[in-house]
Amino acid sequence: MKIVVLVKHVPDAAGDRSFAADTTTDRAAVDGRLSELDEYAVEQALQVVEKSGEGEITYLTMGPEAASEALRKALSMGGDAGVHVVDEAIHGSDAIATSLVLAAAISKLEPDLVICGMASTDGTMSVVPAMLSERLGITGLTLAASVAIEGGQVTIRRDSDEASTTITASLPALVSVTDQTGEARYPSFKGIMAAKKKPVETWSLADLGIEPAVVGLGAAWSVVDSIVKRPPRQAGTVIPDGGDGGVQLADFLSSGKFI
Amino acid sequence: MAEVLVLVDHLDGSVRKTTTELLTIARRLGEPSAVFLGAGLDNALETLGRFGAEKVYVVADAEIDGYLIATKTDALLTVVAQASPSAILITSTSEGKEIAARASIRLGSGIITDASDVDENGIATQSAFAASYIIGSKVTHGTPIITVKPNATAPIENLTTPAVVQVSVEYGALSTSARITDVAPRAKSGRPDLTEAAIVVSGGRGVGGAEGFTVIEALADALGAAVGASRAAADAGWYPHAFQVGQTGKTVSPQLYIANGISGAIQHRAGMQTSKTIVAVNKDSEAPIFELADFGVVGDLFAVVPQLTEEIGKRKG
């Protein structure tokens, strides 16, 4: 079975993230890392291969040079190869263009199964998996809290506020996984060393047959009109509990007419 | 005036408050029409008319609930082809965002997700980077598709008698390829919906275990509030994941947020930072949650919270 796992290199959410002058994410301001939510996708792919005893995992990313770090991190956890779509024209692509590029790259890899995280930790839109399902014409099973592959079928559990739902489809399919699927493994030293020797290919838009004019900031189907830093919250009153903390809290809530 | 479609978010015809907010926003942009998918229209019609839906497009086919989401996209797009709307508004739930994503590719339209408001010019407001930025943006291509978060605006009534339009849909092979084979409903808490609630009372690592949440629930019930949990508490299995507030859970923006035993990691702040008033109770005076709090108590939540609950009971008489 051929598995493609989508990974994204994002500014570390623990850093002070900001926007560049052209309204895109400032990737120089904060150190980058493999999006934490993609680690769950990597883990699920590794488990699928471990359980079935066969399978080949290719990680796919798009982004500037540094995005290859996300591929190396994933490869250090396990898996076989990486593909990095890098092209200056991609800069500033919206989710629509991102899904166009990724769909072209996935088609070229011809996988049986595509696994994605539930959202990136920078854009946080959570729309690319569904867009890829549409573009590739393959079944999309989104926000899986658990994943099982058996006999050419994929079955997921999806939890909503109202119900826990079981959904089944035939491969090929695309699955996005939540953080409920289980903690991702840490790369071992051996894994980190092995990752350095695993093949990573670099593809350009031309390799995918995509015109540069249809992607990037200029081709985006929405525009940013304004960016304002939210004013920091005014520091409030913090009191030590001297035995009547609950009563004082009630006073505060009364003054705000919450009681 | 062109129609603006609002996809109705409902459970068996019980219309969620977010839909009344979307109908209110739709009126700024054009003539509001509701799109009602699934069973229960009779329960929904009065609410949709009260908040100004001029038309209600209805698809009640079994396919709507028998498959995962994509059949709803088929239904919505059939209505779009009929109505030629100037915009499409959808509640920003995980299901709503997926319908929006699929629709954007099929229609060739731009998409904005997680808007906290939309003005009369179609400019949507969003938060970015754990709510540290406020972004205004606009769709410039195709029929704007915007998903809007709960509590975006105060719903305004505008009584109408909607025309009901039955719509017949052809479902694609792709849409019926993901079959729902089992549905296990969750027990209802009887409390307000977490994302819609005016007050949210949350517990975190400091709650110490599943039993500890009875203290959190008691305070929530005294205030008529929803209960939330931090990722640490949800991951530990102390409270169901469906109630998790934060980056990988729900984003809430209530009038009042009470964080108990929650340190306030970026992951959690991303989900509650836009709350109007924030109150924190934590043993650790250095906890970052106090940087956000309008009022904080440094102390043992098992002393402070029950005292607060009791005091609320007294004051309410």
Side-chain angles (χ1 to χ4, degrees):
Chain A
M1 181 160 53
K2 284 178 83 170
I3 303 174
V4 168
V5 180
L6 303 187
V7 294
K8 187 175 182 186
H9 192 247
V10 298
D12 193 336
D16 196 7
R17 295 173 293 177
S18 58
F19 291 94
D22 68 353
T23 73
T24 64
T25 300
D26 188 348
R27 292 176 192 282
V30 175
D31 283 346
R33 57 163 291 172
L34 170 61
S35 177
E36 186 208 349
L37 296 174
D38 292 344
E39 291 182 6
Y40 298 95
V42 173
E43 178 62 35
Q44 287 307 304
L46 296 172
Q47 287 190 21
V48 166
V49 170
E50 283 161 4
K51 278 177 195 154
S52 69
E54 61 98 26
E56 188 191 313
I57 300 171
T58 303
Y59 301 107
L60 170 63
T61 195
M62 63 183 269
E65 291 298 327
S68 62
E69 289 169 24
L71 293 173
R72 287 296 168 202
K73 171 73 191 287
L75 285 166
S76 71
M77 294 165 71
D80 304 285
V83 171
H84 182 184
V85 181
V86 54
D87 199 304
E88 271 180 32
I90 288 172
H91 175 79
S93 290
D94 60 3
I96 312 262
T98 300
S99 66
L100 178 79
V101 174
L102 291 174
I106 293 168
S107 296
K108 217 172 146 175
L109 292 165
E110 298 184 323
D112 304 292
L113 177 65
V114 181
I115 307 183
C116 330
M118 64 187 284
S120 64
T121 57
D122 55 351
T124 72
M125 289 179 77
S126 195
V127 295
V128 166
M131 288 179 172
L132 288 173
S133 163
E134 291 290 330
R135 289 199 185 273
L136 295 164
I138 62 170
T139 309
L141 302 176
T142 46
L143 302 179
S146 74
V147 183
I149 309 278
E150 215 182 303
Q153 299 267 311
V154 53
T155 300
I156 70 154
R157 192 188 86 235
R158 181 182 164 110
D159 293 333
S160 75
D161 291 351
E162 290 85 35
S164 183
T165 308
T166 308
I167 305 140
T168 298
S170 299
L171 296 175
L174 174 145
V175 176
S176 75
V177 302
T178 73
D179 61 338
Q180 297 301 295
T181 48
E183 277 304 308
R185 67 196 63 189
Y186 285 101
S188 63
F189 179 70
K190 210 176 130 197
I192 293 166
M193 296 313 287
K196 293 181 180 169
K197 299 196 186 83
K198 290 177 182 172
V200 172
E201 282 188 40
T202 302
W203 294 352
S204 66
L205 288 178
D207 292 330
L208 297 173
I210 293 173
E211 287 294 322
V214 302
V215 299
L217 190 59
W221 288 356
S222 55
V223 290
V224 171
D225 178 68
S226 61
I227 298 180
V228 179
K229 196 159 170 57
R230 193 184 293 277
R233 292 188 77 100
Q234 296 287 326
T237 312
V238 178
I239 57 154
D241 178 25
D244 65 345
V247 175
Q248 292 204 47
L249 206 42
D251 289 341
F252 175 78
L253 296 185
S254 292
S255 71
K257 307 224 184 310
F258 293 112
I259 302 176
Chain B
M1 199 159 33
E3 289 180 51
V4 174
L5 296 185
V6 170
L7 183 61
V8 178
D9 189 6
H10 70 98
L11 185 63
D12 301 325
S14 165
V15 177
R16 288 187 214 283
K17 182 165 156 268
T18 50
T19 297
T20 64
E21 294 163 7
L22 292 193
L23 287 168
T24 304
I25 290 172
R27 222 178 306 143
R28 298 174 192 159
L29 302 167
E31 189 176 288
S33 292
V35 180
F36 186 92
L37 309 180
L41 176 69
D42 291 349
N43 294 330
L45 214 47
E46 189 273 331
T47 308
L48 299 176
R50 188 150 45 88
F51 288 92
E54 301 280 349
K55 277 186 200 163
V56 179
Y57 294 95
V58 180
V59 180
D61 302 336
E63 282 88 348
I64 293 297
D65 292 314
Y67 299 92
L68 181 63
I69 301 173
T71 49
K72 293 181 181 167
T73 314
D74 289 353
L76 175 65
L77 292 186
T78 307
V79 176
V80 170
Q82 224 169 296
S84 304
S86 60
I88 302 166
L89 303 178
I90 304 176
T91 309
S92 216
T93 55
S94 55
E95 178 174 300
K97 289 209 284 187
E98 177 161 346
I99 293 169
R102 289 179 177 278
S104 78
I105 296 298
R106 290 198 214 169
L107 284 175
S109 289
I111 175 175
I112 290 172
T113 60
D114 299 309
S116 52
D117 202 0
V118 185
D119 74 8
E120 66 282 3
N121 299 315
I123 292 180
T125 313
Q126 294 167 288
S127 287
F129 297 151
S132 53
Y133 286 86
I134 303 162
I135 315 286
S137 53
K138 192 178 162 98
V139 171
T140 52
H141 192 276
T143 307
I145 302 171
I146 305 175
T147 76
V148 183
K149 293 201 294 185
N151 294 337
T153 193
I156 300 169
E157 296 193 3
N158 184 35
L159 200 62
T160 56
T161 308
V164 175
V165 184
Q166 299 287 342
V167 180
S168 108
V169 180
E170 274 183 47
Y171 298 95
L174 180 65
S175 304
T176 52
S177 62
R179 270 180 312 115
I180 293 176
T181 56
D182 185 54
V183 179
R186 285 177 187 282
K188 290 193 174 65
S189 69
R191 297 192 181 91
D193 183 273
L194 180 56
T195 54
E196 292 179 1
I199 304 178
V200 174
V201 180
S202 282
R205 198 183 296 277
V207 175
E211 325 73 56
F213 265 90
T214 52
V215 171
I216 305 300
E217 289 181 333
L219 174 58
D221 292 342
L223 289 165
V227 174
S230 74
R231 183 173 175 177
D235 279 357
W238 300 345
Y239 216 71
H241 175 71
F243 298 93
Q244 186 189 313
V245 173
Q247 186 183 52
T248 57
K250 299 283 183 338
T251 303
V252 300
S253 197
Q255 296 297 318
L256 172 64
Y257 188 87
I258 305 181
N260 302 289
I262 294 175
S263 65
I266 182 84
Q267 211 286 137
H268 189 73
R269 296 212 302 265
M272 48 65 76
Q273 193 144 257
T274 58
S275 304
K276 305 286 179 299
T277 300
I278 296 173
V279 167
V281 179
N282 202 300
K283 263 185 187 167
D284 176 10
S285 64
E286 303 289 315
I289 192 79
F290 287 123
E291 293 165 18
L292 304 179
D294 298 285
F295 194 85
V297 179
V298 181
D300 179 6
L301 74 91
F302 290 101
V304 176
V305 173
Q307 189 179 61
L308 171 59
T309 306
E310 196 191 328
E311 194 63 24
I312 292 166
K314 277 189 209 160
R315 294 183 192 201
K316 278 186 172 171

